[in-house]
Amino acid sequence: MKDFFNYEVIAECPHTRARVARMSTPHGIIETPCFMPVGTQATVKAMAPFELEMLGARIILSNAYHLYLRPGVDIIEKAGGLHGFMGWDRAILTDSGGFQVFSLASLRNVSDDGVEFQSYLDGSRHFLTPASVMAVEESLGSDIAMCFDECTSYPISEEDARRATLRTIRWAMLCKQSHSRPDQALFGIIQGSVFPELRRLCGEALVDMDFPGYGIGGLAVGEPKRMMYDVLELMDQLLPRSKPRYLMGVGHPLDMVEAIALGVDMFDCVLPTRNARNGSVLTSRGMLNVRRQELKDDLSPLDPKCNCYVCKNFSRAYIRHLHKAGEILASRLCTWHNLHFMLELAREARRTIMDGSFPQLLEYCRKVFGDETD
């Protein structure tokens, strides 16, 4: 495994738990902290692969569950794996689809052996087990695969959370036993909702299994922000500093920087791209809705402090016009800008950790984005 995957911390913040690291994969080196654009269906919505390269993305996320259902693993294998299928030669992380399966509350049946569910596409029935999910992810050929886990909602009783946590531990063991592809790193996922005892139970069990990296799942599902940060503080105490930590599904600017301060390395979230398609963009002064009437005559860029392609070439008035006219370019430009913002924020985190000024970045994000996360 070390021939294909390696993680090395190269700098640490003297004031927080933040660190900069280099993570080697079969498809390139990724500097962390990093933000991973989400390409659920083997595409980042509104973006071509070469545009993601221009933005500096070194790794993207795809979803094994969705790709298993459509187009199916066989065609992706024939294309040479997910990299060849989607024309992306940099790193890919695949989520197992646990979150998606467990969000289908009325369409699935869970047992210790796996999950039977009904396809949201055609109603066909499927049964996923830890072993079958590993087979899917190995066939996809991602650089990093995630274990199959049982995700929980919030609020949840401690009894139900315990049941899901124990099942997640069992499935992690079965995933590790089934996984055999040497050029693919398998990350365990720590569950336990907001209950410290359960998080500790799951964390210690998975650390004993010695995964090359760890996902922190089941957060940003409605719990108060303070509870999420408390869980991350506990994870920082439990997880080895020598391995990467991935906060799954979290990508609001402030949440990302707060989590970096607590030792997290990797992030993904659909919000930057989803919000972009709805006309909401990230700026150095906070969120901006480009559909607002007062932007009709505003010829300034989306963010005067931004140096992305969009801000260098187009005005707020023009992008507002595109949205109002229903033009596809509106979604593309806003997506480009939002992804640039998140990728640049991760780059800025790395720079400030290296030069010792990361606390100032943290305070800046709290000031600009704090009200949006309450």
Side-chain angles (χ1 to χ4, degrees):
M1 173 62 69
K2 288 186 177 180
D3 292 338
F4 297 101
F5 183 86
N6 186 57
Y7 174 85
E8 179 186 9
V9 175
I10 59 174
E12 294 182 290
C13 174
H15 311 288
T16 69
R17 300 293 286 170
R19 69 265 188 90
V20 174
R22 288 195 182 97
M23 188 165 62
S24 301
T25 74
H27 288 86
I29 295 174
I30 302 146
E31 293 185 328
T32 67
C34 71
F35 176 79
M36 300 180 287
V38 176
T40 300
Q41 305 272 10
T43 176
V44 176
K45 283 182 169 53
M47 300 295 289
F50 78 90
E51 293 170 323
L52 295 171
E53 291 182 7
M54 292 174 64
L55 285 169
R58 304 297 309 184
I59 180 171
I60 63 172
L61 177 144
S62 284
N63 188 277
Y65 162 79
H66 286 288
L67 297 175
Y68 160 78
L69 290 177
R70 181 177 58 192
V73 175
D74 290 347
I75 184 62
I76 295 176
E77 274 194 300
K78 289 179 183 178
L82 192 52
H83 291 89
F85 186 62
M86 65 182 294
W88 174 255
D89 62 3
R90 297 186 178 184
I92 298 174
L93 180 150
T94 47
D95 189 4
S96 67
F99 177 83
Q100 285 72 26
V101 170
F102 286 98
S103 67
L104 303 172
S106 61
L107 301 176
R108 48 87 171 167
N109 182 39
V110 188
S111 70
D112 286 343
D113 295 325
V115 183
E116 182 184 17
F117 68 96
Q118 187 175 356
S119 169
Y120 70 96
L121 294 173
D122 59 11
S124 59
R125 299 205 69 83
H126 303 262
F127 188 70
L128 290 179
T129 67
S132 68
V133 170
M134 290 299 95
V136 168
E137 294 198 76
E138 289 189 20
S139 296
L140 294 176
S142 55
D143 299 82
I144 300 172
M146 303 303 298
C147 282
F148 196 42
D149 62 322
E150 180 167 358
C151 303
T152 57
S153 58
Y154 180 87
I156 186 173
S157 70
E158 187 167 359
E159 179 183 357
D160 287 342
R162 179 177 296 276
R163 187 179 303 112
T165 300
L166 293 174
R167 187 170 284 145
T168 291
I169 294 170
R170 169 181 164 79
W171 286 357
M173 179 181 64
L174 294 174
C175 284
K176 198 163 193 292
Q177 291 172 354
S178 300
H179 187 264
S180 61
R181 184 162 179 160
D183 61 345
Q184 183 183 66
L186 176 64
F187 283 19
I189 302 177
I190 298 168
Q191 293 288 349
S193 186
V194 297
F195 301 102
E197 177 194 347
L198 298 181
R199 286 285 177 177
R200 183 177 296 277
L201 173 69
C202 195
E204 291 177 347
L206 268 63
V207 168
D208 285 344
M209 295 181 201
D210 194 28
F211 287 95
Y214 297 92
I216 303 169
L219 293 175
V221 291
E223 79 282 357
K225 294 296 180 182
R226 186 63 256 170
M227 283 187 168
M228 179 174 76
Y229 300 151
D230 287 345
V231 169
L232 294 179
E233 288 180 8
L234 177 60
M235 292 299 96
D236 181 54
Q237 298 169 22
L238 289 176
L239 297 178
R241 295 283 288 175
S242 59
K243 295 185 178 182
R245 305 162 181 181
Y246 161 34
L247 181 53
M248 305 178 71
V250 176
H252 183 278
L254 179 57
D255 290 343
M256 185 169 82
V257 177
E258 292 277 9
I260 289 171
L262 294 169
V264 177
D265 304 284
M266 303 165 65
F267 303 85
D268 81 281
C269 190
V270 299
L271 287 181
T273 48
R274 179 182 294 166
N275 287 352
R277 299 192 298 276
N278 293 319
S280 183
V281 295
L282 296 159
T283 79
S284 58
R285 294 186 175 183
M287 297 296 296
L288 174 69
N289 188 331
V290 300
R291 295 174 176 269
R292 286 164 44 183
Q293 175 66 26
E294 58 265 35
L295 302 186
K296 181 179 181 180
D297 303 315
D298 190 341
L299 298 179
S300 63
L302 292 176
D303 186 351
K305 294 184 177 181
C306 180
N307 65 354
C308 78
Y309 165 78
V310 177
C311 289
K312 286 181 176 178
N313 291 280
F314 305 104
S315 67
R316 294 177 173 186
Y318 177 64
I319 295 173
R320 178 185 182 276
H321 156 70
L322 293 177
H323 267 284
K324 289 295 185 179
E327 290 290 339
I328 294 172
L329 186 58
S331 293
R332 285 181 40 74
L333 294 181
C334 289
T335 298
W336 185 300
H337 170 81
N338 276 0
L339 288 178
H340 171 87
F341 186 96
M342 294 303 298
L343 291 164
E344 181 60 27
L345 182 59
R347 286 189 284 265
E348 184 66 13
R350 296 196 295 268
R351 285 194 291 266
T352 55
I353 293 168
M354 296 283 283
D355 69 20
S357 63
F358 177 75
Q360 288 92 308
L361 176 64
L362 179 58
E363 285 305 312
Y364 165 78
C365 289
R366 286 172 175 169
K367 179 179 179 181
V368 173
F369 295 103
D371 292 340
E372 298 170 9
T373 63
D374 290 342

